[in-house]
Amino acid sequence: MSFETISVIGLGYIGLPTAAAFASRKKKVIGVDINQHAVDTINRGAIHIVEPDLDKVVKEAVDAGCLQAVTKPLAADAFLIAVPTPFKGDHEPDMVYVEAAAKSIAPVLKKGDLVILESTSPVGATEQMAGWLAAARPDLTFPQLAGEKADINIAYCPERVLPGKVMVELIQNDRVVGGMTPRCSDRASELYKIFLKGECVITNSRTAEMCKLTENSFRDVNIAFANELSLICDHQGINVWELIRLANRHPRVNILQPGPGVGGHCIAVDPWFIVAQNPQDARLIRIAREVNDGKPYWVLDKVKSAVADCLTATGKRAAEIKIACFGLAFKPDIDDLRESPALEITHMIADWHAGTTLAVEPNVHQLPKILAEKACLTDTEKALVDADVLVMLVDHRQFKAISPEQVKQQWIIDTKGVWR
Ligand SMILES: NC(=O)C1=CN([C@@H]2O[C@H](COP(=O)(O)OP(=O)(O)OC[C@H]3O[C@@H](n4cnc5c(N)ncnc54)[C@H](O)[C@@H]3O)[C@@H](O)[C@H]2O)C=CC1
Ligand SMILES: CC(=O)N[C@@H]1[C@@H](OP(=O)(O)OP(=O)(O)OC[C@H]2O[C@@H](n3ccc(=O)[nH]c3=O)[C@H](O)[C@@H]2O)O[C@H](C(=O)O)[C@@H](O)[C@@H]1O
């Protein structure tokens, strides 16, 4: 049975590009979001998030009448759920958005529909979602009991696109397709092949859920290794950037780059889903999270030591010292400040420092609220002239372009090796 109408629940960084991709293939797409501003923006053919090339695809889709946004689900042949899955409490997965989204589509489900969960979720979440749907619609059969004969097919298909490259990777990446039954997998693959050029790799829903968590945990553990090296090298007077460059000359060594911590709401979040379900066994994954979450405090201590040295050497009072923090975004060359360690460090410095804290962030034009009263947004040139202490936090390309001659300060904490 073909998919004439496709509904995407959650029109954020993942849902909106996905909706646009189906609409660009002339499918009728109903985007659903509880955020009225997002819905209104999209229906004007505009976008409310930053992602290269997305604006063009959304405008064309809306102008062609292939994409409409609403706040409440309407009937469709397939439903893709891409709502947030943060953690709560002591790093427990928070499925409240997924539950609300599932219960919102239940009334409009009909025999033959396909439901796909895309949100990064703990193992077993798809079965849990199927339970919510079955409880809401006892008149329909679901794969957990009816198997291949179920009225409704359900699959888990995680998203692995890289922010900033979404419109390319959404089409090119291979897709893990985890059906609750083989028939569910087949139907989900058929849906994605409407736009997918990568391969659909079939598995079951639990393996697909774990695959997403595994991908991001692998990256987090490897970043933690690099961050731990940076602490060790600082203690032993070794240039960690040179060390990693040399070690990576080995044909089978690929050490990632140290940083001020790990940001974004995925790499810093998803490994905790594995730890929460496997507290005894997931020791390395947990310790890696602790290493990465501890890095901002190590950076703050370095800044405090540098300021103490600066006070002694210059005879200035603390209130006269200017600290310049370079970068607020969670990774280079983007404007996303979500869960950014650079923002966290700048905030901690501004809270602690008696003098002026300058923030340099080429991708934002005003400071986020938590910094607005505590720091001053300035540009690179002014910061290099005015500051006594420099803190390099994000290796934006603008900062890599700073020539060594422009950096006159004696007190530099460089967490990204830009001024290595
Ligand atoms: N942002 C990324 O690069 C990636 C995100 N993911 C995962 O995709 C999922 C979504 O992430 P993002 O798109 O970044 O989140 P987001 O926060 O950008 O977008 C989620 C959207 O869902 C809406 N929403 C929440 N509850 C809803 C409901 N009941 N009905 C309709 N809409 C609802 C929100 O208003 C928001 O617009 C998460 O599980 C995330 O871990 C996976 C890979 C990459
Ligand atoms: C395994 C993997 O690479 N996952 C990707 C990741 O995207 P995200 O933008 O969060 O990625 P990232 O480049 O790993 O950055 C995460 C954080 O880690 C830091 N980071 C990254 C690499 C490195 O060598 N050192 C380092 O400190 C970054 O500065 C950033 O603060 O998480 C995405 C997600 O799940 O949202 C996922 O779709 C992407 O494919």
Side-chain angles (χ1 to χ4, degrees), residues 213 215 226 229 238 252 309 328 334 337 343 351 354 385 409:
L213 302 179
E215 291 165 2
L229 278 182
I238 293 167
R252 285 174 298 287
D309 289 353
L328 295 175
I334 63 167
L337 307 186
L343 178 57
D351 264 352
V385 168
Q409 283 75 0

Side-chain angles (χ1 to χ4, degrees), residues 380-381 396-404 406 418-419:
T380 300
E381 288 64 32
H396 289 313
R397 57 186 158 72
Q398 295 90 333
F399 299 155
K400 288 180 181 171
I402 297 170
S403 65
Q406 290 177 272
V418 171
W419 297 317

